Amino acid sequence: MAIDVQLLARVTDCLLEEAACLDQRRWDDWLALYDDDCVFWVPAWDDDDVLTENPETQLSLIFLRGRPRLDERVWRIRSGLSSSLLRMPRTTHMVGNVRLAGREGECLLVTANFHVNAFKHDEKRVDFFFGHYEYALSPRGEGFGIRRKKIVINNDIIPRQLDVFSV
């Protein structure tokens, strides 16, 4: 099957922009990437090889439905009211192996691998997560909006903090 290199480049640019927004703490730009009816989901592992499948009835590490829920999360980060977020870690998101996986209605299905390093300066500690992303991207002019993002964390022992910027 032929790969549409231009489409893959536009998709990759969207994913890398999201990573840059998180690393640079450009919260408004990050929120603008998401559709109003978006889903941001980090499922939990049910056992060694099986993920939970239904965020409505099973445990999730993070489950946010709709842009208002993402807005609330960013408000918590910015507000200074959460003691765990007073000193934000420095993060670096590395996104690779971006692949076009198909279509779902108007959305483009995309997968990618990730590795995120987070340095907590006050604790002199580095935490990291790695795994893969599954996206449903909706067309927006020449770019894309994020309709759905599923984050599968392969090393799911949570050190102290897991938030949208951690993965």
Side-chain angles (χ1 to χ4, degrees):
M1 176 177 4
I3 296 174
D4 184 337
V5 177
Q6 290 179 340
L7 178 61
L8 181 59
R10 289 179 27 233
V11 165
T12 300
D13 188 55
C14 177
L15 275 54
L16 296 179
E17 176 62 14
E18 183 194 18
C21 287
L22 291 168
D23 291 340
Q24 297 163 11
R25 302 177 188 167
R26 292 187 287 124
W27 305 119
D28 293 329
D29 294 339
W30 180 72
L31 288 169
L33 293 170
Y34 281 83
D35 291 350
D36 290 339
D37 59 346
C38 67
V39 171
F40 185 100
W41 180 35
V42 184
W45 287 94
D46 200 24
D47 67 23
D48 286 349
D49 296 315
V50 178
L51 285 167
T52 56
E53 296 178 355
N54 185 339
E56 303 286 349
T57 61
Q58 294 176 296
L59 183 66
S60 295
L61 299 176
I62 299 175
F63 178 61
L64 305 169
R65 182 184 297 281
R67 262 286 299 281
R69 294 295 314 272
L70 291 179
D71 288 332
E72 290 170 9
R73 201 64 160 210
V74 168
W75 179 87
R76 284 187 59 225
I77 292 167
R78 287 177 163 159
S79 72
L81 297 175
S82 174
S83 61
S84 68
L85 298 173
L86 285 177
R87 297 200 60 183
M88 292 285 292
R90 300 176 196 154
T91 62
T92 300
H93 288 69
M94 292 171 277
V95 180
N97 298 357
V98 178
R99 300 190 71 180
L100 305 175
R103 293 197 178 271
E104 180 180 277
E106 68 176 19
C107 288
L108 189 60
L109 302 178
V110 176
T111 63
N113 291 344
F114 75 89
H115 184 114
V116 180
N117 293 315
F119 177 65
K120 292 285 285 183
H121 185 267
D122 54 331
E123 299 174 26
K124 307 294 187 255
R125 188 181 89 226
V126 176
D127 296 324
F128 65 92
F129 292 107
F130 63 90
H132 72 271
Y133 297 137
E134 298 173 15
Y135 286 92
L137 301 178
S138 60
R140 271 196 208 164
E142 293 298 311
F144 300 96
I146 300 172
R147 172 80 43 88
R148 183 175 65 243
K149 182 177 182 182
K150 178 180 174 183
I151 301 118
V152 176
I153 302 174
N154 287 338
N155 62 321
D156 63 332
I157 297 174
I158 311 303
R160 287 194 190 125
Q161 182 178 52
L162 176 70
D163 212 317
V164 295
F165 54 81
S166 305
V167 289

